[in-house]
Amino acid sequence: KLHNNTTPDDVAICRAYLAFLRSNGDGNTFYRTLEAEGVTRARLQSFERPIKSEPSFYADRKDVLIGEFENFLKILKSVHSGTDLDSAIAAARGRLDGGMNQRLDTILGIRGKVSSALSMARAVAEARSNMASIMAGAKDDAALRDLLFLDLALEDCLRSAVERQNISQLGLNELTDLVLFALQNLNFTVGSKELSLCAGHWKKLQILSRDEYEWPLHALSVSDRIGRWVQDFTHVLYQHLQSKAEGLGEAFHAEKWTIPLFSEDVIRGGPAFVLSLLLRPLERSLREKAGLGGWQVVSAAHSVGRVSCIPRLHDVQSERFAEPVVLIADEVGGDEEIPEGATAVLSCSTLDLVAHLAVRARNAGVLFATCFDADEYRRLKTFADKTLSLSVSPSGDLLYAEGANNTDPGDRGEPSKARKVSHPSIQPATPPFVGWVIGQDEFEPGVVGGKSNNLNGLRGRLSNGIHLPNSIALPFGIMERVLTYESNRRLREDCEALLASGGDDPSSKLVAVRANLLQLSAPPELQAALNEQWQRAGLPLAAWESSWHAIRRVWASKWNDRAYLSRRTRGVAHASLHMAVLIQEVVPAEYAFVLHTANPLTGNRNELIAEVVMGMGETLVGNYSGRALGFLCDKSDLRPRILCYPSKKVGIYGTGVIFRSDSNGEDLEDFAGAGLYDSYLAQEPEHRLLDYGDEKLVWDAAYREQLLRRIARIGVEVERLLGAPQDIEGAVVGDRFYIVQTRPQVGL
């Protein structure tokens, strides 16, 4: 127990051990006293660090130990039995009105009862909700001090009540109520806007019927957002504390093993940890009620490889593993490239089903799955440096076994291997010059990329209510032509030298290459041609400086890490990759969606899957933390079935003009170029903290079904017009639906 934070159980354990000592080591006395205090032998063994050993008796040290443990019991009681609360209430009573004093008496009455966590949490939350206004009205420092100490004691009282409760035995209804009060309690302490939004959403969710199919999915979205806040908050707190702990620990020669534990123990003693204790069993109950397994598979494959456990996928994206590996990565950001040799990536980080990284994983035949069960995730890590065979069951769970000779129960064929596929159809020669800037009526293959050409295949063919944004483009070869100008000669030579010396880990060289490209000067002819085509297309006005900066950023993205590594892994020559720039009017999206017209997980072409976010689609394809609203429907009836509710924290809102990367490597077989290269707005977009408390997409079922059906109909229509399954990105503004890009769906 000395390695754990003390809890209310320790009061009972200490009293039982004192009785054990006074009875000269009678074990029956120990357990009888313990159980009288409400702690059983089974509870001792259920702790995070179980207590399974019997108490030891030392006859020669009996009297000394009794004295020591009597003093220790005083400390435990002052912390966990309410001595501090009693003194804090006594000091503050004269500064409180009758109603507040009555609430405090209620808390004192509840405190001594067994299994009173929910009652205590409710009472403390009500009391603390009044404390802020009372403290704001305090007239002097002495009054404020007494009130602050009372508020701290109330906070600690709730923590003690939750820790005393056997949380694993609570039902779903009790857990959801307890989470609400723990949320409110934590927000009184921290005062976070994000936490306040989560608490408001969670409170509103409590009035809905918990028997409906979608309720646990809705609740999971909020608990996911809460969990991410707790994780971020405790990480920042740990960073603040631990550097001080290390400096102080070294200065006064503390035991080495205590220093890493210091900040963790401080966090475990605070209200954020109480909330985290509740979230784990809550999520487990919600997933069980929703009929969800412990896994979310975003790319299904049969995989074999040696297990390698890593903190972040980003740390190894430039690796070239000599043997097949299964990566277990604690953190996945969504903007990484899967390293050469990886046959599977398993993580506890969520990834949007239609995010670019998920698309590339499916196209490369790499298994990618998120584990929601902390115990299962820890068990997987015990296979480090061993060979695992993995596959996906028909129900969508991950199956794994040690060894390389296990067959795939899903009968998906041979295990995935890291494949290197060359693309001789992409020629390294610089494309012929067709003009500095071209209008959308001049888009054609070999001049601009798939984004531009695929949209042109839809012009004039779509139903009323479905629109395409006006567009112009800088065709292939313009970047290379700009680099030939004398004013850019030094930058070109520097880039060539840097790329020639890149080696196996070129990251630092690529940073310098991108920096050089951002310094390119523009030929006067380019500026004049852009201005002419801009006016002809009727695009919103944008300053030349911001437009030229965005164009250079798109070109520079040819040399971002993930694009470079993906070309290297898939055998695409760097010189053969050319970048056009598609310039479009920004759709001021209320909602954005990404739609796959064939189920990307099963390959079923009679089903489509889509995900919807508030604001622009970058939060979706860029894998911003949190989930989109996901749905699946059969093309025969287009009736949407909700897969998950939205939990994105941030929405992106923009206007003006966007400059999209449009390479000649977007849609190659075995090379998911989608998402490798970057797009930029002329004006930086606004990032808004999202409040789902009154969002009709979440709360208005009739509106939601109508919206999702219309999105599904767009998918069916575009697939019919283009003759193949499509990966579509779109936006919704009022009653107008836009397709901003579409490409053939890869990885089927």
Side-chain angles (χ1 to χ4, degrees), residues 246-318:
E246 290 170 0
L248 290 169
E250 183 178 350
F252 56 68
H253 309 294
E255 293 284 346
K256 295 293 184 184
W257 65 269
T258 66
I259 297 174
L261 297 176
F262 176 82
S263 299
E264 179 185 338
D265 280 354
V266 172
I267 291 168
R268 289 170 66 93
F273 182 69
V274 171
L275 185 56
S276 72
L277 284 177
L278 298 169
L279 290 177
R280 184 185 297 180
L282 173 69
E283 183 176 281
R284 190 181 301 116
S285 296
L286 289 172
R287 293 186 68 82
E288 182 179 342
K289 187 173 180 63
L292 301 176
W295 290 90
Q296 181 202 20
V297 177
V298 298
S299 176
H302 181 203
S303 170
V304 172
R306 178 183 57 80
V307 174
S308 176
C309 301
I310 55 176
R312 303 189 308 157
L313 182 59
H314 184 274
D315 295 338
V316 298
Q317 66 173 352
S318 62

Side-chain angles (χ1 to χ4, degrees), residues 4-66:
N4 288 346
N5 272 346
T6 63
T7 70
D9 288 326
D10 289 300
V11 176
I13 294 170
C14 190
R15 282 176 172 154
Y17 190 61
L18 279 167
F20 170 78
L21 292 172
R22 291 181 177 122
S23 66
N24 294 318
D26 182 4
N28 291 329
T29 300
F30 175 80
Y31 286 109
R32 188 167 54 251
T33 308
L34 195 65
E35 291 181 9
E37 296 278 341
V39 179
T40 63
R41 189 192 299 255
R43 181 161 177 77
L44 289 181
Q45 296 179 2
S46 71
F47 293 153
E48 184 178 351
R49 291 175 178 167
I51 298 177
K52 298 180 179 179
S53 59
E54 297 295 320
S56 301
F57 180 68
Y58 306 94
D60 59 327
R61 284 177 273 174
K62 170 185 171 181
D63 294 336
V64 173
L65 287 172
I66 288 174

